[in-house]
Structure formats: C-alpha cells, structure tokens
Amino acid sequence: MELFYASLLGFFVLFVTLSFHFLFAQKSGSNKGNLPPGRTGFPVVGESLEFLSTGWKGHPEKFIFDRIAKYSSYVFRTSLLGSPAVVFCGAAGNKFLFSNENKLVQAWWPSSVDKIFPSSTQTSSKEEAIRLRKMLPNFLKAEALQRYVGIMDEIAQRHFVTDWENRDQVVTFPLTKRYTFWLACRLFVSVEDPKQVAKFEDPFGVLAAGLLSIPIDLPGTPFNRAIKASNFIRRELVAIIKQRKLDLAEGKASPTQDILSHMLLTSDENGKFMHEADIADKILGLLVGGHDTASSSCASIVKFLAELPEVYEGVYKEQMEIAKSKAPGELLNFNDIQKMKYSWNVACEVMRLAPPLQGAFREAITDFMYSGFSIPKGWKIYWSAHSTHRNAEFFPEPLKFDPSRFEGSGPAPYTFVPFGGGPRMCPGKEYARLEILVFMHHLVKRFKWEKMIPNEKIIADPMPNPEKGLPIRLYPHKASTG
C-alpha cells in the first residue's frame, strides 16, 4: 500500500505541475466537432488512476469493457496520462489504427523516455525507433534467426542446469527474466558469461522499473535511478562496441554473429554508419524490449500449464517426441521448432488471455474522422489487446482456455494482437516465438510442477506480473534428457 500511495502522490505532483498545459490542450480540443462519447474524469488527472489501478488490481480489461458497456460504442473518449485521449476497441479499431500508421497516427510515448534513452544525434526516441525498425528486419526475420536456434538451446540448457535443477521449489518470474535476459545478451552483443550477464542484470532491473515510474528526476526516485542505470549500462556497451570494432577489423569476430556486428556493418540510405553512442543506445533499448515481454509470457505459460494438466500433457507429449528424435548432445534446430505446433498454439492462447502487450498509444498527426466522430490532431489514441482477446464476438467463451482457436488459419485478422500490428508489428515476434518454444521444451522435458499459491493474483504493471513471483514446487521427471 505504501508504494500505491507514493504512486498517487507522484502522479498528483506531476499532473499539477503540468496542469496549465494540459488544461489548455483539453480546452482547445473540446471545440473540435462531434467527439466520441465518454468523459474526461477529474481535472488534469483525468481517468489515469482508474486506468492504471484496474491493472494493479489484476483486471486491466475492466477499464475498457466498463466504458464499452456504458457508451455502447467501440470508440470512447477519456483523458489519460494528462492528455485528452480516445480509446479504439475491436478488430475494426485495430485495423484502422494499424493501417493508418504514419498517415493519420504515429507512435507516442512520454518525452521522459528520451531522458533514459538519449541519442547523441539529438533526435527523438520516435525518430530513432523509425531508424531502428528499418535496420532490424534483416536480422530478426525467420530465415536469419534459424541459425540461432542452437545457441538458444545451449543457453536454455545452461539456464535450467544452473537455476532449476536440484531444487524442490523455485520462484518462476525472476528466473524467466534471467533466461530471456541471458539470451538477449548473447544474441545481441555476444555476452554469455554468467558473471558478465549478472553485471548487467541488476542495473537493467532498475532501468525497467524506472521506465514504468513517475518521471520525476529527483535524487533517489526510481526515475532518477533509471537514468543513472542507463548511463552505466551505456558506458559498458560502448566499451564492448569499441572492442568489437577492433575484432571485426582483425577478423576475430564474425559479421553475422549478433545484432551488434550487424549494426556496425550496416549503413543507412546515405551510406553513413551509426556512431558508437547511438549503437549503444539502440542495443540498450533492444535489451530492455527483447526480454521483458517474453519473460512475462514464459511465466504466464508456467502458470497456465500448472492449472491445466490436460494441456500440459499435450505439450509434454509433443516435446518428448522431439527430444527422443535427437542424438545425445544434439541441439535443437529450426525444423524441431516447426514441429512444436501444439506448443505454440498453447503459447498463443496464453498470450490471448494474458497479453504481454496490454495495448499501446498513438497520437493523431492530423484531424480525422472515425465511425462518425471527430478525432482532433494531437489527441492520444489507445488500443487495447483485451478489447478483442476477451471479446465473445471474436473468441467464443473468451475466458475458456482453448488452444484449438489457433489451428488452421487461426483467429480473424486484427483480433489476436499480442505483438501489435501493421507497420509497427513487433519486429521481434519471430525471435520471441523461438525463445518461448525453446523454454517450453526444456521446462516440460524436465519437470511437472504445481503452484504454491493457488490463487496468486496476476497484476498488469503494465505486463502480466505474478504478485509474488509465481513460486512453484518442482517434480522432476525420472529420466529427463539434456
């Protein structure tokens, strides 16, 4: 509760400080024609606290569905994070937003993000993200990632031997974060020594916590600690980058060994290469984004498999058939991943019910009309995964766990959106699929388990996060392999 009240106080301070700006913005937007139905809530604060608190209470979808029911609409007006906002719901809303990226809307996040991820070129996080998106697809597409499956398998084996085996019980969520972070370090910058990974692990935890905190840069605040942590990590990354440039020049490193080499050797459309500080900043962002959502999904998979023995048995059968087809010491390959069809259907159903990405903000870059309503330029737009994932119109019996929803052609377009969609579809979608399936393979091959807190609450902050970390009791299989 102390943290909750501290958060309330922080929001109050932040919003009062910026109140005149935001009140003017709301006033200027109030004369913009036929606005969607809804309410803006309290002055300045709007409905932000209710929006956030439903996630803290474990029901992030409640904010959305309460207003859909009240306004009988799939678009409604509110005020979030100090700005007038419109929430688009349903497949039609998703399609409209994803199809009009950089035409009517663009990505939006608070300017405070620039303080944690500054760029030496003095461009905004938004512009830098666009540059990064142009560069990443060649590295993160399925064909390119195929050669890294064996490396993922090797890291997963080491992770389970170190952190899971010979233990009666473990706390799941910190371990899934460790696994995905270790993988990100190895595949992005070729850092795999556990001691070196551990050197980054704590500062990254501080940084991630600061990103989700109140952006008040005063000594001792989470935001201030996040800025310091990002500066520390960036210095470490610059040292790694300098050494890699030397190793590439001397033939001691491979041009295709990781994203770092790819960035150092890839120029933009003008033939210019990125500065070391810029590369450090991009790698920093990738390391944060490359493991947070996947670690949440891995923990959610552990939760659901503990609760659904028949689903566990289906995953176990599929993974053991693959395990038995391998020679002793032989690593997984991409063909093995392609055989994990039921396991991936299970993972998708987990991400439907507990999406790692609850939704995302856009900003209107011009006035436009949607469903007969005016959306003013500058207003924020939010789309929510829950508006389709838990909607009976798109998924009959939406609270029922049913992996068969993903058989054949799967759900209708724009209804299953754990990775977003359109031009801003998460570029790491295939990477996430591989690391999740490799994790599932080693988990079920080694253990059955049970939850130690049967009704542990899952909070959205903003990703699904077991309140107590999801402690489980392990029951090793008598003859686990590899």
Side-chain angles (χ1 to χ4, degrees), residues 149-277:
V149 174
I151 296 173
M152 289 183 168
D153 187 24
E154 199 170 17
I155 295 293
Q157 288 187 39
R158 293 167 63 184
H159 167 71
F160 275 92
V161 168
T162 302
D163 291 326
W164 294 71
E165 291 186 354
N166 301 314
R167 285 171 169 77
D168 295 326
Q169 57 193 52
V170 296
V171 181
T172 303
F173 195 41
L175 296 188
T176 61
K177 287 197 287 188
R178 184 171 299 169
Y179 161 71
T180 57
F181 187 63
W182 194 352
L183 270 185
C185 286
R186 169 58 185 89
L187 293 175
F188 296 170
V189 292
S190 294
V191 169
E192 61 180 296
D193 175 47
K195 292 181 180 178
Q196 200 171 0
V197 172
K199 184 179 181 182
F200 285 108
E201 198 170 358
D202 287 342
F204 262 98
V206 172
L207 190 157
L211 279 175
L212 307 176
S213 68
I214 311 305
I216 298 175
D217 188 8
L218 295 174
T221 63
F223 186 66
N224 178 265
R225 291 198 297 269
I227 293 172
K228 291 180 178 178
S230 72
N231 290 335
F232 167 79
I233 298 167
R234 195 176 291 105
R235 286 194 298 271
E236 294 291 320
L237 288 173
V238 167
I240 291 172
I241 292 165
K242 288 180 181 295
Q243 184 60 50
R244 177 64 60 81
K245 289 175 78 172
L246 292 174
D247 290 344
L248 285 168
E250 297 172 5
K252 296 178 181 177
S254 164
T256 60
Q257 74 183 52
D258 55 26
I259 282 183
L260 174 54
S261 285
H262 183 72
M263 285 184 172
L264 283 168
L265 298 172
T266 303
S267 61
D268 63 16
E269 59 272 16
N270 299 315
K272 293 183 179 179
F273 293 87
M274 281 197 291
H275 297 293
E276 292 172 357

Side-chain angles (χ1 to χ4, degrees), residues 331-440:
L331 296 173
L332 291 172
N333 56 46
F334 191 69
N335 288 334
D336 297 320
I337 297 292
Q338 298 300 84
K339 295 174 184 175
M340 301 179 186
K341 290 183 171 59
Y342 179 74
S343 297
W344 183 240
N345 288 348
V346 169
C348 287
E349 182 69 341
V350 168
M351 289 188 286
R352 182 184 71 81
L353 288 167
L357 181 67
Q358 304 291 310
F361 282 97
R362 300 287 190 270
E363 182 179 54
I365 55 180
T366 185
D367 294 341
F368 64 87
M369 299 292 293
Y370 176 73
S371 194
F373 299 109
S374 300
I375 311 299
K377 178 181 178 180
W379 276 39
K380 305 306 177 278
I381 300 167
Y382 184 76
W383 64 267
S384 164
H386 290 296
S387 78
T388 55
H389 287 196
R390 289 180 177 243
N391 192 323
E393 178 184 350
F394 308 113
F395 295 97
E397 296 184 84
L399 299 183
K400 179 183 178 182
F401 192 95
D402 182 6
S404 70
R405 302 179 198 273
F406 296 89
E407 293 175 355
S409 58
Y414 302 103
T415 61
F416 180 62
V417 288
F419 299 102
R424 291 197 57 78
M425 168 79 77
C426 174
K429 176 183 177 182
E430 182 64 16
Y431 172 82
R433 183 176 81 98
L434 298 182
E435 66 179 331
I436 288 170
L437 287 173
V438 170
F439 174 82
M440 292 176 74

Side-chain angles (χ1 to χ4, degrees), residues 30-63:
S30 64
N31 300 317
K32 293 278 188 174
N34 183 31
L35 297 173
R39 61 188 289 270
T40 53
F42 295 106
V44 184
V45 176
E47 295 190 299
S48 301
L49 294 180
E50 190 173 351
F51 174 72
L52 294 167
S53 68
T54 54
W56 297 336
K57 293 173 183 176
H59 304 286
E61 72 282 0
K62 188 177 188 311
F63 180 89

Side-chain angles (χ1 to χ4, degrees), residues 41 44 64 74 77 100 143 158 168 204 213 217 222 259 262 269 297 310 419 451 453 455 480:
V44 184
I64 303 295
Y74 282 95
R77 172 168 47 98
N100 285 287
E143 309 89 82
R158 293 167 63 184
D168 295 326
F204 262 98
S213 68
D217 188 8
I259 282 183
H262 183 72
E269 59 272 16
S297 293
E310 70 284 0
F419 299 102
K451 292 164 60 179
I453 307 175
N455 298 313
S480 67

